[in-house]
């Protein structure tokens, strides 16, 4: 029988640096990586494409049930339209339920025989993988996160107005934190990292120390 997969859960709000960190940790440890936000983004876009409102439970659930692997490869998943639609479909319990098995299966049996998996999102440590071996909660101030998002958008050649980005991010934070279904919150046993004043290398080194320290004391 295969050894049990080691699971690292990384949660936090938008633009806190969790995606960059999760990818780097997965590469470093040879683990598989799943960006769970992409799944919600794909459901959001699929719902919009079907001409429905992402807040419509029936339409969004039907899109979630019809999700196919190629939907996760769409080039427009990273845009703000997808982000806003994602946070609307993500508040619907039946959408979350429809997506749970796939995420748990990825964690338990990572692709290509990887010995472990890193999943990032909003509820990985609290709902998807409550028994994860390590849980990190990555955060930064709203101002810093908005400034990072503006920089990222401009680097991609997208026009971005700081006040607009800040407002959208605040709305998305509120929707994600105040919903009843799997709200954004640190798991009780999560290790907290505030990235407001750290660069990506510093975040990675700190996270690796926390993850390894935990592991060696098992
Ligand atoms: O992480 P990302 O910004 O791509 O996520 C987009 C949206 O998907 C989030 O604002 C959140 O509403 C939703 N999401 C979620 N649970 C996750 C991952 C993402 O509700 N595990």
């Amino acid at each position: 029988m295969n050894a049990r997969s080691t699971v690292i859960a990384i949660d936090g709000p938008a633009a806190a640096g969790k995606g960059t960190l999760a990818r780097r940790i997965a590469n470093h440890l040879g683990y598989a990586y799943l960006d769970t936000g992409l799944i919600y983004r794909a459901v959001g876009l699929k719902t919009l494409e079907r001409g429905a409102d992402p807040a419509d439970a029936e339409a969004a659930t039907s899109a979630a049930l019809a999700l196919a692997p190629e939907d996760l490869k769409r080039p427009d998943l990273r845009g703000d339209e997808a982000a806003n639609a994602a946070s609307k479909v993500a508040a619907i319990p039946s959408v979350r339920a429809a997506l749970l098995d796939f995420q748990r299966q990825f964690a338990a049996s990572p692709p290509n025989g990887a010995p472990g998996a890193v999943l990032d999102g909003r509820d990985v440590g609290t709902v998807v993988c409550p028994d994860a071996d390590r849980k990190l909660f990555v955060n930064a101030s709203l101002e810093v996160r908005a400034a990072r998002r503006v920089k990222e958008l401009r680097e991609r050649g997208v026009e971005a107005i700081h006040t607009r980005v800040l407002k959208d991010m605040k709305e998305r934070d509120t929707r994600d934190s105040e919903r009843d279904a799997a709200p954004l919150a640190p798991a009780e046993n999560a290790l907290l990292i505030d990235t407001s004043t750290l660069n990506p290398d510093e975040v990675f080194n700190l996270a690796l120390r926390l993850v390894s320290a935990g592991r060696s004391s098992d």
Side-chain angles (χ1 to χ4, degrees):
M1 203 182 114
N2 289 339
R4 195 181 73 86
S5 156
T6 301
V7 178
I8 300 179
I10 305 185
D11 291 302
K18 63 184 188 308
T20 306
L21 173 63
R23 202 171 292 111
R24 277 183 78 170
I25 292 186
N27 275 342
H28 183 80
L29 299 174
Y31 289 3
Y33 167 55
L34 180 64
D35 173 352
T36 65
L38 279 188
I39 307 173
Y40 289 93
R41 285 169 180 261
V43 174
L45 285 183
K46 210 176 180 71
T47 311
L48 284 176
E49 239 166 37
R50 293 173 163 196
D53 177 354
D56 175 338
E58 207 174 307
T61 307
S62 138
L65 291 168
L67 203 68
E70 55 273 20
D71 292 325
L72 298 180
K73 294 182 187 142
R74 301 173 55 143
D76 51 352
L77 288 180
R78 301 272 171 206
D80 280 352
E81 191 188 28
N84 292 327
S87 94
K88 290 179 184 159
V89 299
I92 301 167
S94 49
V95 168
R96 305 199 71 84
L99 303 175
L100 207 51
D101 265 2
F102 171 77
Q103 298 172 78
R104 287 189 173 153
Q105 189 59 34
F106 186 99
S109 306
N112 305 320
V118 182
L119 284 78
D120 81 36
R122 301 292 186 289
D123 65 336
V124 180
T126 50
V127 175
V128 180
C129 302
D131 298 328
D133 299 85
R134 295 291 159 260
K135 297 180 187 179
L136 301 177
F137 192 86
V138 179
N139 208 345
S141 71
L142 177 65
E143 270 297 334
V144 167
R145 291 187 290 116
R148 283 181 189 156
R149 179 50 55 83
V150 168
K151 184 166 173 275
E152 181 198 320
L153 288 169
R154 289 187 182 152
E155 279 168 2
R156 278 199 269 139
V158 179
E159 205 179 312
I161 303 162
H162 183 83
T163 47
R164 174 84 224 172
V165 171
L166 188 85
K167 181 172 167 284
D168 278 357
M169 197 167 269
K170 208 167 164 180
E171 276 174 19
R172 190 144 70 96
D173 279 359
T174 306
R175 227 173 8 239
D176 289 350
S177 314
E178 295 185 356
R179 67 187 181 210
D180 291 332
L184 168 68
E188 239 173 64
N189 50 352
L191 302 162
L192 308 182
I193 300 181
D194 186 330
T195 69
S196 302
T197 60
L198 304 177
N199 67 37
D201 284 345
E202 290 169 331
V203 175
F204 174 64
N205 289 327
L206 173 59
L208 211 54
R209 271 206 305 280
L210 293 174
V211 167
S212 316
R215 283 206 308 202
S216 58
S217 68
D218 276 350

